[in-house]
Amino acid sequence: MNALPDSAAPLLEAKDISLSFGGVSALTGVDCDIREGEIRAIIGPNGAGKSSMLNVINGFYHPQKGEVWFRGEKRGKLKPFQIARQGIARTFQNIALFKGMSTLDNIMTGRITRMRAGLLWQALWHGPALREELEHREAAERIIDFLEIQSIRKTPVGRLPYGLQKRVELGRALAAESKLLLLDEPMAGMNLEEKEDMCRFILDAGAQFGATIALIEHDMGVVMDLADRVMVLDYGRKIADGAPDEIRNDQLVIDAYLGAAVQE
Amino acid sequence: MTTQHQPDTFPKLLLRNAAQFADRPAVREKAFGIWQEWTWAQVREEVFAFAAGLAQLGFAEGDKLAVIGGNRPRMYWGMTAAQVLRGIPVPVYQESAAAEIQYVLEHAEAKFVLAENQEQVDKALEIAANLPGIARIIYDDGRGLRDYAKDKLCDFAEVRRRGREALAREPQLLDAHIAAARGGDAGIILYTSGTTGKPKGVVLSNDNIIITSRNSAAHDNLTAGEEVLSYLPMAWVGDNIFSYGQAYATGFCINCPENESTVAMDLREIGPTYYFAPPRVFENLLTGVMIRMEDAGRIKRAMFSHFMKVAREYGAAIMRGAPAPLFARLRYRLGALLVYAPLKNTMGFSRIRVAYTAGEAIGPEIFNFYRALGINIKQLYGQTEGAVFITMQPDGEVHADTVGPPAPGVDVRVDDDGEVQYRSPGVFLHYHKDEAATRGAKTGDGWVRTGDAGYFDRRGHLKIIDRVRDVGKLNDGTLFAPKYLENKLKFFPHIREAVTFGDGRDHVAAFINIDPDAVGNWAERNGVAYASYQELAAHAETYRMVGESIEQVNRDLAADEKLHASQITRFLILHKELDADDGEITRTRKVRRSTIFDKYGELVDALYSGAENRRVSTEVTFEDGRRGVIEADLQIRTLRPHAPRAQAA
């Protein structure tokens, strides 16, 4: 998977992005491309603008400057659900699941953008709505099987431990069968074993569901093992971009991030 | 019980079942949240297609098929398919590390491997790199295997497809093989979990399994209508009898759980009528019920405790059909309506007709709890070498402290050293490639040594106290039966494991492992903060609770004529859980005494030195195979023994 040709078509391209909130500039002139089928990591110290970048990519923030191209088309201002329909799904740094609903129902919500039956049919729970529900349920069950969460299928997610909630959230993102999957710190707060599981799921998700993945992660070991390419942000600027090995030896990165972490 | 005209091999049984029970369910598996079902006719088609496919790949008579994986229909079919070709299945404990599996595969000279999924394929590939004798690795679930080199690897479905093609060309392909097989032929090799040294391959004939299955099924009137949950390790003889031998012999349906973590839920959905579980499972279930009852509302709690009292008093007698006062019967009825039935339903025991437990002693309170609820749980005693059954309790003769009279067709005797010996239709052929061990296990006059010490009580029921070689003597010459003591300790919910020392010593001392669930729950309830097992184990209150339990055991022992000197006077709580990954217990959770003695020698010395504490560092193996070291400062407590009392408890 590491042998992607450089010429692989970018699935998404963000060009010269600048974003500020009032006087605070979160991103300054950042270029970012995500190629079809790769695992792309964004790293950087706290407050470097990683989550902002992700929010720009999925259209939640609209940058003051710069443009986003997705699947060869320039993107205008879209509502979040329109972007979801376009084929971008994401998970959140702070888990954003429906706590009172079961794992299965949460994953089913990921299918909503793909449901076509009209409101009337849905209400009657008959004909096309029922057929469609069965299809979606099967897709959800495949994801449950894939993530090995059969034992919590009917458990309300609010009762699950953190690591499992993260997994359910990944499941919901996968359920949308998106072209691009954005994961905001998928392994934050997990223990080693949970991290290893999550790594395997992310790698397999790429292979099995054909998803392109962009992720933010703090655990350097994880990022270097997992990602095909890594982009490093510091104070809203891109300071490096390349294969994990290049990043590991980049002096700017060591100073900004890795070095600082050691000193702490 | 004539055996002359009965099918004497599994393929022949399969043909009979496919004819007799064609449309009845044979196997169910929960996949994608729905129970999928195969009838006996479909199972015949699957098995024969896979067998023909195996033959196409070069699997021949006498070849061994190693089966590594969980209870999946295809794993069971693979075993029968090997038997169709007169080959020998060798199921392997799937949790074992690659090195342990390699020993078994090398010793058994396995030529083919049937692996459940990527996890097992990875191990099989690692092993195959060292064992050129492995020709093929066939996998059931192909997830994650897309990018693997395919030279030795092939998909179950692909083998089956080739088999179907071969059978279409030549429908009689397998008939000669099936007809040629005999009951006396070796049918399966089951490796013992290796409590002592390397695992031994127990070779059982088709007769061993089939006749024993038939006899035991008749003993409990098992029919084709039973429902069984197949969740026990396939490499264990118990699963080979309960989910395979008896299923084929009677035609009942086995149900494969979705995965290991859903067993409890699947149990509830299936509601088996016939069930086996080691005592630990019943124990954990009861602990779970008790913990949840403590969280219940006041009315429910009062109802539970009232009706459980009624059940304890009359439940067992009512189930036995013994006389009970009318009023008591009415109260029991009401209890059944309000408490017992809902409780049994939550546990998945609503439909149980017969349940067995074996392997370790079960606490009398636990045992009686289930019987009081009207669950017909009974005990049996057995071992791999005898195709399980040596003794089993018939209905109406069930006691918590014995394992019952000899099973049908089995003779049992106790020799002069107190060792239990038996002969039966289930007696194994031999240990695979180990004649010396075979001679050691069988006596000259045709009996098998169990290695267990025991005696028959006045009712003619066998009572097992310990392994013969573990029974020792204290310095004052009195009997020391470590397992007997450890079992007494383990009956307390907050003690998970115990190891006692005393042979050749002046007094008895013990290592304790607490039960992190039970003690953790107590800690949560009482606002005790802890970050790890180690911290919880070292807590002063934990020590106090364990100390009280030991006091109680000592009081019981003080009343025992033979064992009053075995009171435990010193103990410590270990800083880590005894773990099969560290070789301290076997996969079936039996304590490996010598390993523990070697590993924790300095702690044993400390127990007998009078020290108050001892600093240790211990190497541990994590679940992913990495190693680490944990250090701890262990406290040692001293207890005062009770004066011997003459009367029986």
Side-chain angles (χ1 to χ4, degrees):
Chain A
M1 227 186 301
N2 290 319
L4 283 173
D6 276 353
S7 58
L11 180 69
L12 180 135
E13 243 183 319
K15 292 177 185 163
D16 195 23
I17 300 288
S18 293
L19 173 75
S20 57
F21 302 103
V24 184
S25 75
L27 294 167
T28 317
V30 177
D31 290 314
C32 171
D33 65 322
I34 299 168
R35 294 176 197 150
E36 187 101 44
E38 74 173 343
I39 297 181
R40 181 78 151 116
I42 304 174
I43 66 173
N46 283 333
K50 302 182 299 289
S51 290
S52 297
M53 191 65 218
L54 218 56
N55 281 325
V56 167
I57 290 173
N58 90 342
F60 189 66
Y61 291 160
H62 302 290
Q64 279 80 6
K65 206 176 118 217
E67 48 197 42
V68 177
W69 289 69
F70 183 59
R71 296 164 89 179
E73 278 176 46
K74 187 181 167 188
R75 187 163 73 198
K77 279 201 173 184
L78 294 176
K79 298 245 158 55
F81 74 89
Q82 290 172 311
I83 291 179
R85 287 236 164 113
Q86 274 200 335
I88 299 181
R90 72 168 295 179
T91 68
F92 297 84
Q93 193 173 346
N94 309 312
I95 295 168
L97 290 164
F98 301 100
K99 302 264 181 211
M101 281 167 36
S102 70
T103 297
L104 177 64
D105 288 341
N106 266 287
I107 290 174
M108 286 292 272
T109 60
R111 307 285 306 173
I112 278 179
T113 54
R114 311 187 72 83
M115 293 191 180
R116 295 284 169 266
L119 182 65
L120 184 65
W121 282 119
Q122 299 272 12
L124 289 174
W125 189 243
H126 212 66
L130 193 57
R131 272 198 299 279
E132 195 182 53
E133 171 91 6
L134 288 177
E135 271 166 43
H136 290 307
R137 172 72 193 266
E138 193 183 333
E141 284 291 347
R142 280 186 197 287
I143 288 160
I144 287 173
D145 182 65
F146 170 74
L147 294 172
E148 293 166 15
I149 47 178
Q150 295 99 332
S151 58
I152 54 164
R153 186 185 281 128
K154 302 267 169 76
T155 314
V157 293
R159 291 214 326 244
L160 297 175
Y162 185 77
L164 277 178
Q165 292 195 10
K166 281 264 181 196
R167 223 191 272 184
V168 175
E169 207 185 25
L170 175 63
R172 184 178 61 183
L174 283 174
E177 286 177 31
S178 303
K179 281 275 164 289
L180 178 60
L181 203 57
L182 307 176
L183 309 177
D184 197 347
E185 301 203 13
M187 284 164 242
M190 286 190 173
N191 65 30
L192 187 70
E193 209 179 317
E194 290 170 328
K195 276 184 185 170
E196 283 178 352
D197 282 348
M198 197 52 144
C199 269
R200 220 186 68 225
F201 291 130
I202 291 174
L203 282 170
D204 287 353
Q208 188 159 331
F209 294 87
T212 302
I213 295 165
L215 61 90
I216 294 176
E217 184 48 59
H218 270 301
D219 187 320
M220 276 304 128
V222 167
V223 170
M224 296 301 175
D225 283 350
L226 206 56
D228 297 310
R229 288 191 306 146
V230 181
M231 175 172 103
V232 190
L233 293 176
D234 192 20
Y235 293 110
R237 286 170 199 279
K238 182 160 94 172
I239 57 169
D241 195 349
D245 278 338
E246 296 167 30
I247 298 298
R248 205 177 277 131
N249 300 319
D250 189 302
Q251 195 54 45
L252 273 175
V253 178
I254 294 170
D255 291 346
Y257 192 177
L258 306 174
V262 170
Q263 277 164 20
E264 274 170 10
Chain B
M1 248 191 277
T2 56
T3 50
Q4 277 169 322
H5 305 295
Q6 303 258 33
D8 59 355
T9 66
F10 283 94
K12 291 178 198 169
L13 278 169
L14 179 57
L15 285 171
R16 183 205 66 182
N17 291 350
Q20 198 175 333
F21 307 119
D23 296 326
R24 289 190 68 99
V27 186
R28 278 192 212 101
E29 180 191 28
K30 199 172 184 188
F32 298 125
I34 296 168
W35 288 98
Q36 320 278 337
E37 195 174 280
W38 288 267
T39 64
W40 278 107
Q42 285 170 320
V43 169
R44 178 188 55 188
E45 199 277 332
E46 289 275 354
V47 167
F48 286 4
F50 185 64
L54 276 180
Q56 301 298 304
L57 293 176
F59 190 91
E61 182 183 336
D63 284 348
K64 317 287 188 303
L65 172 75
V67 178
I68 317 173
N71 314 70
R72 303 261 78 95
R74 287 172 170 186
M75 298 282 126
Y76 287 110
W77 299 340
M79 296 212 298
T80 323
Q83 289 170 332
V84 166
L85 298 170
R86 303 187 73 191
I88 301 175
V90 185
V92 180
Y93 284 99
Q94 55 159 335
E95 284 176 26
S96 307
E100 292 171 274
I101 297 180
Q102 178 169 333
Y103 174 81
V104 171
L105 265 51
E106 187 169 12
H107 188 260
E109 297 170 55
K111 190 167 156 195
F112 282 66
V113 176
L114 177 57
E116 184 192 356
N117 51 24
Q118 185 182 18
E119 187 186 345
Q120 307 305 339
V121 166
D122 284 344
K123 284 190 236 171
L125 284 171
E126 192 184 327
I127 293 164
N130 304 328
L131 300 182
I134 295 178
R136 292 279 179 173
I137 299 165
I138 301 162
Y139 57 85
D140 176 5
D141 177 0
R143 185 211 296 173
L145 297 175
R146 187 184 305 191
D147 299 330
Y148 281 47
K150 288 288 189 289
D151 47 348
K152 281 192 175 180
L153 214 53
C154 44
D155 190 345
F156 183 97
E158 171 62 18
V159 177
R160 185 181 53 189
R161 188 188 60 77
R162 291 178 63 171
R164 280 183 181 145
E165 282 173 12
L167 281 173
R169 282 194 305 271
E170 199 186 337
Q172 269 76 50
L173 185 66
L174 302 169
D175 297 0
H177 293 290
I178 296 171
R182 292 285 169 266
D185 296 348
I188 192 165
I189 304 179
L190 296 169
Y191 278 79
T192 59
S193 57
T195 319
T196 48
K198 286 284 181 196
K200 285 187 291 229
V202 180
V203 182
L204 292 166
S205 69
N206 296 316
D207 278 342
N208 286 158
I209 301 279
I210 293 171
I211 296 177
T212 309
S213 294
R214 218 172 258 151
N215 287 351
S216 52
H219 179 264
D220 287 303
N221 302 316
L222 301 180
T223 67
E226 310 302 335
E227 294 282 350
V228 168
L229 189 73
S230 298
Y231 72 102
L232 301 159
M234 287 181 68
W236 182 54
V237 68
D239 191 64
N240 202 256
I241 291 283
F242 302 119
S243 306
Y244 192 70
Q246 291 182 333
Y248 271 75
T250 63
F252 65 61
C253 178
I254 63 168
N255 298 278
C256 299
E258 197 162 15
N259 65 30
E260 279 163 54
S261 56
T262 61
V263 168
M265 263 169 282
D266 297 330
L267 184 73
R268 212 163 349 176
E269 288 177 7
I270 290 300
T273 59
Y274 176 49
Y275 180 68
F276 178 93
R280 186 167 35 88
V281 170
F282 288 108
E283 222 173 280
N284 292 345
L285 209 53
L286 175 58
T287 311
V289 168
M290 288 308 181
I291 287 170
R292 278 172 65 187
M293 277 322 297
E294 278 174 43
D295 288 336
R298 195 178 291 173
I299 298 171
K300 283 187 184 168
R301 258 199 335 253
M303 256 167 55
F304 179 75
S305 74
H306 173 77
F307 284 111
M308 280 319 296
K309 216 162 82 192
V310 174
R312 273 197 203 96
E313 215 164 320
Y314 304 108
I318 289 172
M319 184 163 60
R320 206 169 49 228
L326 180 68
F327 186 58
R329 277 176 194 278
L330 285 175
R331 278 165 75 197
Y332 189 82
R333 271 286 166 78
L334 187 64
L337 197 67
L338 295 174
V339 176
Y340 319 145
L343 186 57
K344 281 199 275 188
N345 190 32
T346 0
M347 295 191 288
F349 291 168
S350 289
R351 298 203 292 163
I352 284 194
R353 245 172 18 84
V354 187
Y356 275 105
T357 189
E360 289 277 333
I362 185 164
E365 273 189 30
I366 298 161
F367 191 68
N368 293 333
F369 170 83
Y370 290 101
R371 290 198 64 82
L373 287 177
I375 297 164
N376 187 17
I377 173 179
K378 307 194 282 183
Q379 298 195 66
L380 62 81
Y381 167 66
Q383 61 173 191
T384 311
E385 284 82 348
V388 177
F389 303 100
I390 298 172
T391 67
M392 59 198 302
Q393 297 178 328
D395 287 340
E397 288 183 54
V398 181
H399 309 286
D401 57 342
T402 80
V403 291
V410 183
D411 297 322
V412 182
R413 74 179 184 191
V414 177
D415 83 344
D416 299 339
D417 297 333
E419 184 182 36
V420 177
Q421 303 179 346
Y422 65 95
R423 57 183 182 194
S424 74
V427 169
F428 70 120
L429 297 179
H430 52 85
Y431 289 116
H432 188 52
K433 298 197 296 190
D434 196 346
E435 225 171 279
T438 310
R439 275 198 304 274
K442 292 187 180 182
T443 65
D445 50 348
W447 296 71
V448 182
R449 302 175 202 276
T450 60
D452 285 327
Y455 60 91
F456 280 102
D457 69 6
R458 268 164 301 163
R459 298 166 294 207
H461 285 219
L462 189 65
K463 223 172 163 171
I464 301 290
I465 56 168
D466 203 341
R467 299 292 293 170
V468 171
R469 74 184 135 71
D470 287 334
V471 174
K473 282 197 162 61
L474 289 167
N475 280 345
D476 62 1
T478 53
L479 196 67
F480 168 67
K483 200 157 136 194
Y484 186 78
L485 301 178
E486 288 155 15
N487 285 336
K488 271 186 175 297
L489 289 168
K490 281 170 12 185
F491 293 154
F492 292 95
H494 47 267
I495 298 179
R496 171 165 289 179
E497 213 61 67
V499 187
T500 55
F501 307 93
D503 188 26
R505 309 272 188 178
D506 289 333
H507 57 86
V508 178
F511 286 172
I512 303 290
N513 250 189
I514 55 167
D515 186 316
D517 295 334
V519 182
N521 192 273
W522 163 86
E524 204 173 297
R525 214 168 280 284
N526 291 279
V528 174
Y530 66 98
S532 63
Y533 175 86
Q534 188 179 345
E535 207 177 315
L536 187 61
H539 198 274
E541 273 298 300
T542 309
Y543 261 90
R544 190 189 57 75
M545 280 195 292
V546 170
E548 276 177 12
S549 307
I550 295 179
E551 282 282 355
Q552 199 173 323
V553 169
N554 284 349
R555 270 197 296 278
D556 284 354
L557 287 170
D560 194 302
E561 213 177 304
K562 278 184 178 171
L563 296 171
H564 61 79
S566 290
Q567 292 184 53
I568 297 154
T569 51
R570 299 258 293 164
F571 77 95
L572 60 81
I573 301 178
L574 281 177
H575 51 302
K576 73 177 274 293
E577 287 187 86
L578 297 178
D579 196 331
D581 286 341
D582 292 326
E584 294 157 342
I585 50 175
T586 65
R587 299 269 160 212
T588 48
R589 294 197 70 87
K590 286 180 185 152
V591 167
R592 278 195 169 119
R593 237 163 259 288
S594 54
T595 310
I596 291 175
F597 203 85
D598 290 344
K599 191 163 175 180
Y600 298 107
E602 50 175 337
L603 286 179
V604 180
D605 293 341
L607 279 176
Y608 287 99
S609 70
E612 293 279 293
N613 51 19
R614 182 56 152 267
R615 184 151 195 87
V616 282
S617 63
T618 310
E619 191 175 273
V620 293
T621 311
F622 297 109
E623 279 194 357
D624 61 0
R626 285 172 307 111
R627 284 162 179 281
V629 170
I630 50 175
E631 295 198 11
D633 202 5
L634 294 182
Q635 314 151 50
I636 302 170
R637 293 289 156 84
T638 309
L639 299 167
R640 193 184 297 276
H642 296 259
R645 281 176 288 133
Q647 100 282 21

